[in-house]
Amino acid sequence: MNKKLAAALSGGAVLVVAMSGCTSGSGEKEPDPKLVSWAKSVCDAVPPQDAKIRSANASIAAIATDTNLPPKSAQKTYAQAFQDMADGYKALADALDGAGAPPGIDGGAKLQQDASKNLAGLSTSYAELKKKVDGLDTKDQGKFARGLKEVASQSKEVGKQGESGTQALKRLEQDDVKKAMAKQPSCKVAASATAQPAGSATAG
């Protein structure tokens, strides 16, 4: 059962990849310096939040196959992971809000607001999942398992929400915005973390 929960949650890190998978071809026209400065303010927020969300996914994956884990320990791990995800997405939404519309991009304000709204919505959803986990009955193994099942199906919905968030970010990261982000070392750091094999943090 817990494997389902882990699978439903592992989509979390994918969203950050959309913000950090920045590559740029050589010999292209340089993006506007104002846009480069905008990209820096967004990209600089990515690595710490990417690490936080990745770590939350890893901690859930690590306990997903442990059938002997006491409910109280499982509850603590899930609650912390959901809290970290809520915090991570909130910080990314705040970074986009703080950066404002990308300069010189047609319809940039709407694209930026859509992406930010999606991230903020994900943060709220993970905070709700944490609340649900906090309220589970850890004294009764059967009740706890049933409660986790509900959390798993709810987290599946959050996974779908994450997919639309990824699409919103990809729409924002087109053309000149993508080029400007490709110039940011902080985006490259997150992109190289993404290239690491999944599950490497779950040993033990």
Side-chain angles (χ1 to χ4, degrees), residues 136-181:
L136 294 178
D137 184 349
T138 54
K139 293 186 182 74
D140 183 319
Q141 185 91 40
K143 273 187 191 166
F144 183 73
R146 283 195 295 279
L148 264 189
K149 215 168 198 165
E150 278 176 37
V151 171
S153 65
Q154 202 173 324
S155 64
K156 234 183 192 154
E157 291 307 308
V158 179
K160 285 180 196 158
Q161 200 180 340
E163 281 166 32
S164 64
T166 304
Q167 293 312 314
L169 281 169
K170 282 184 173 162
R171 284 194 295 275
L172 173 65
E173 289 166 30
Q174 295 297 322
D175 308 322
D176 284 355
V177 172
K178 193 169 189 175
K179 285 179 212 164
M181 284 185 149

Side-chain angles (χ1 to χ4, degrees), residues 53-65:
I53 290 164
R54 223 170 264 288
S55 169
N57 274 308
S59 67
I60 285 173
I63 67 164
T65 51

Side-chain angles (χ1 to χ4, degrees), residues 14-180:
V14 177
L15 189 60
V16 183
V17 178
M19 292 189 87
S20 55
C22 316
T23 51
S24 151
S26 55
E28 291 176 344
K29 179 171 76 76
E30 288 291 300
D32 181 330
K34 281 187 198 151
L35 186 59
V36 172
S37 165
W38 176 91
K40 182 180 189 317
S41 69
V42 175
C43 277
D44 284 358
V46 172
Q49 305 316 324
D50 184 40
K52 188 182 278 188
I53 290 164
R54 223 170 264 288
S55 169
N57 274 308
S59 67
I60 285 173
I63 67 164
T65 51
D66 188 349
T67 47
N68 299 317
L69 194 67
K72 226 167 178 43
S73 302
Q75 181 188 45
K76 197 176 168 190
T77 302
Y78 286 126
Q80 186 61 56
F82 289 141
Q83 184 62 60
D84 285 349
M85 286 186 180
D87 292 347
Y89 287 122
K90 168 94 169 62
L92 290 170
D94 288 349
L96 268 179
D97 280 341
I105 301 296
D106 286 343
K110 184 175 182 339
L111 292 169
Q112 172 253 335
Q113 283 159 12
D114 282 353
S116 171
K117 201 165 86 182
N118 270 286
L119 290 165
L122 270 170
S123 172
T124 303
S125 295
Y126 279 115
E128 281 166 7
L129 283 174
K130 179 197 182 284
K131 214 184 282 178
K132 197 150 197 169
V133 168
D134 283 339
L136 294 178
D137 184 349
T138 54
K139 293 186 182 74
D140 183 319
Q141 185 91 40
K143 273 187 191 166
F144 183 73
R146 283 195 295 279
L148 264 189
K149 215 168 198 165
E150 278 176 37
V151 171
S153 65
Q154 202 173 324
S155 64
K156 234 183 192 154
E157 291 307 308
V158 179
K160 285 180 196 158
Q161 200 180 340
E163 281 166 32
S164 64
T166 304
Q167 293 312 314
L169 281 169
K170 282 184 173 162
R171 284 194 295 275
L172 173 65
E173 289 166 30
Q174 295 297 322
D175 308 322
D176 284 355
V177 172
K178 193 169 189 175
K179 285 179 212 164

